[in-house]
Amino acid sequence: MAPTILIVGATGNTGRSVTETLPTLLRTTGALADYRVLAMTRSLNGTAAQHLSKIPGVEIVEKNWIGTTASWLREHEVVRVFIASHNEPTQFAEESAFHLAALKAGVKYVVRISTTAANVHPDCDAYYPRSHWAIETLLGSPEFSGLQWTSLQPNIFSTFYLYNAVEFVKQYRKTGKQTTLRLLASEDAPVGIIDPDEVGIVAAYLLSQEDTAVHNQAKYVLNGPQDITGQQIVNMVERDIGTKVQHVSYKDMSFVDSLPHGAAPEMIASIKYAPVTAWEGKCAVSTTSKEVLDLAAPKRTPADVFKSLLEN
C-alpha cells in the first residue's frame, strides 16, 4: 500500500473539490506521484460519492470519520489528511479526538477547514468559532508538535450568502410575484464571499506540497476575488427580474429560528451573532492571506456564482 492522503468529508462543500483537484496535482509533483487519495464518505450510494469514485487515482471508503482510531489510520498508511468537520456543539470533542488519533498514528500533515477569521476568538458570541479557536489552540500546543497543520479560515461561502437571492429570482420567474428578499448581508458592508470549491482547491494545493513545513501552524484567510454588499446583491436580482425589488430585509437571521436546536437551544441560537463581524466590515477581500493568492488565487466572482446557482 502506498502513502495515503485521506480526505475526510469528501462529498461535502469543500471536500468535493479537494478530491477532484488533488490527484492531478499529485501526478505533476514528482516526489508525491506514488501517493494515493482515499476519500471518506458516510455513504457510497450518494450522487457525489458515485461521481468521485470515477476520478482516476481516487479510492472511496465508506466510514463515519467520528471515532476514527490511530490503528485505522496506520492500517491505511495515512500520512496527510484533509478534514472539514461539522459545526455542531460536539465539534470540539469529536474533531480533537480525530487529531489525537492522527498524532498517535504518525500522520505528518493536516489541512483543516475553520471558519470566518474575524470570529475565531475565545470570546466570540457565536458558539462554533470558539470551537475552531480551541482546535487551533490544541494543535498549536507543544504536545502536538509532531503533527504539522494548516487551518483555512474562509469568509462566508458564496453559495450560502446568495442562496435567498437565487431562490427569490427562481420563484419570481415561476409566479411573477415577489415576497420579501431576506439577505444575510448588510446593505453596505463589503464582504469577500468565496465559492467553497475554491477553498477546496487551495487545500489540495497545500496537500500536494513536497515540503509542508513552511505552512505549519499557519492560519490562512480566504476570500473570493471581489467584495459584495447587500445593495449589490439586490442590484443583481433586479437586473435579472427586470424590475425593482419591493421589500428587502437586510441582516436577516430569521432562518436560525427554524434550525433544530436539540438539547442546546441557546447555543444554536447564538449563530445569529456570526455575521456581525461581516456587518462591521471586517471580512473584506483585503484580509486575504498572501499565501492563498500565491498558491491558488480564487477566481469566481459573486456574479459568477449567482449565475451558476440560477442555472442549477
Side-chain angles (χ1 to χ4, degrees):
M1 192 179 297
T4 299
I5 302 177
L6 176 66
I7 302 175
V8 176
T11 57
N13 280 335
T14 53
R16 186 175 61 253
S17 61
V18 178
T19 312
E20 292 170 339
T21 306
L22 186 56
T24 300
L25 294 178
L26 294 179
R27 286 196 295 272
T28 59
T29 305
L32 305 182
D34 63 336
Y35 280 42
R36 68 177 187 137
V37 177
L38 184 62
M40 183 182 287
T41 178
R42 287 177 294 180
S43 174
L44 296 176
N45 298 321
T47 302
Q50 292 295 313
H51 162 69
L52 296 177
S53 68
K54 298 175 183 177
I55 298 175
V58 173
E59 299 176 41
I60 304 286
V61 60
E62 185 175 72
K63 179 178 173 58
N64 189 332
W65 68 269
I66 296 171
T68 299
T69 63
S71 60
W72 188 93
L73 294 169
R74 284 193 294 267
E75 177 187 347
H76 290 82
E77 297 189 28
V78 175
V79 295
R80 297 186 180 188
V81 172
F82 168 83
I83 179 168
S85 178
H86 59 75
N87 64 355
E88 297 171 8
T90 56
Q91 177 195 348
F92 178 79
E94 291 166 349
E95 188 180 345
S96 64
F98 181 91
H99 293 303
L100 180 58
L103 177 68
K104 291 183 175 181
V107 172
K108 303 301 182 184
Y109 181 53
V110 171
V111 176
R112 66 177 300 274
I113 300 298
S114 183
T115 190
T116 305
N119 287 345
V120 185
H121 299 286
D123 58 349
C124 183
D125 288 325
Y127 79 90
Y128 65 89
R130 298 196 302 269
S131 295
H132 283 291
W133 171 83
I135 290 289
E136 291 172 355
T137 301
L138 174 142
L139 290 173
S141 67
E143 291 82 355
F144 274 80
S145 61
L147 177 63
Q148 294 186 358
W149 59 277
T150 304
S151 199
L152 299 182
Q153 299 177 329
N155 280 325
I156 303 170
F157 288 161
S158 51
T159 47
F160 177 62
Y161 209 64
L162 299 175
Y163 177 82
N164 281 354
V166 170
E167 291 303 305
F168 182 94
V169 171
K170 288 181 177 179
Q171 188 64 27
Y172 183 82
R173 287 176 178 179
K174 289 180 182 178
T175 66
K177 298 179 181 179
Q178 294 191 26
T179 56
T180 298
L181 174 55
R182 301 184 182 278
L183 296 179
L184 177 64
S186 70
E187 184 173 4
D188 54 7
V191 179
I193 60 176
I194 183 167
D195 185 335
D197 282 350
E198 297 201 300
V199 177
I201 290 170
V202 172
Y205 271 86
L206 286 166
L207 289 164
S208 66
Q209 299 296 299
E210 181 177 355
D211 181 9
T212 59
V214 67
H215 302 292
N216 185 30
Q217 300 196 24
K219 304 168 191 176
Y220 293 148
V221 180
L222 293 87
N223 294 285
Q226 291 179 1
D227 287 320
I228 192 166
T229 66
Q231 182 60 61
Q232 288 172 325
I233 296 175
V234 173
N235 293 344
M236 285 198 304
V237 170
E238 291 179 339
R239 283 195 295 270
D240 194 280
I241 66 176
T243 189
K244 185 174 179 60
V245 175
Q246 296 169 356
H247 302 288
V248 182
S249 175
Y250 293 108
K251 299 183 181 179
D252 194 305
M253 297 293 290
S254 57
F255 74 92
V256 175
D257 296 330
S258 63
L259 295 175
H261 285 56
E266 294 84 4
M267 191 176 296
I268 300 300
S270 73
I271 291 173
K272 291 181 178 181
Y273 299 106
V276 170
T277 49
W279 301 337
E280 293 173 342
K282 297 177 181 178
C283 301
V285 166
S286 59
T287 63
T288 304
S289 296
K290 178 183 180 297
E291 293 84 354
V292 170
L293 301 177
D294 292 340
L295 282 167
K299 300 176 181 178
R300 298 197 72 198
T301 66
D304 293 334
V305 176
F306 186 73
K307 180 180 178 181
S308 67
L309 291 173
L310 282 173
E311 292 171 350
N312 292 333

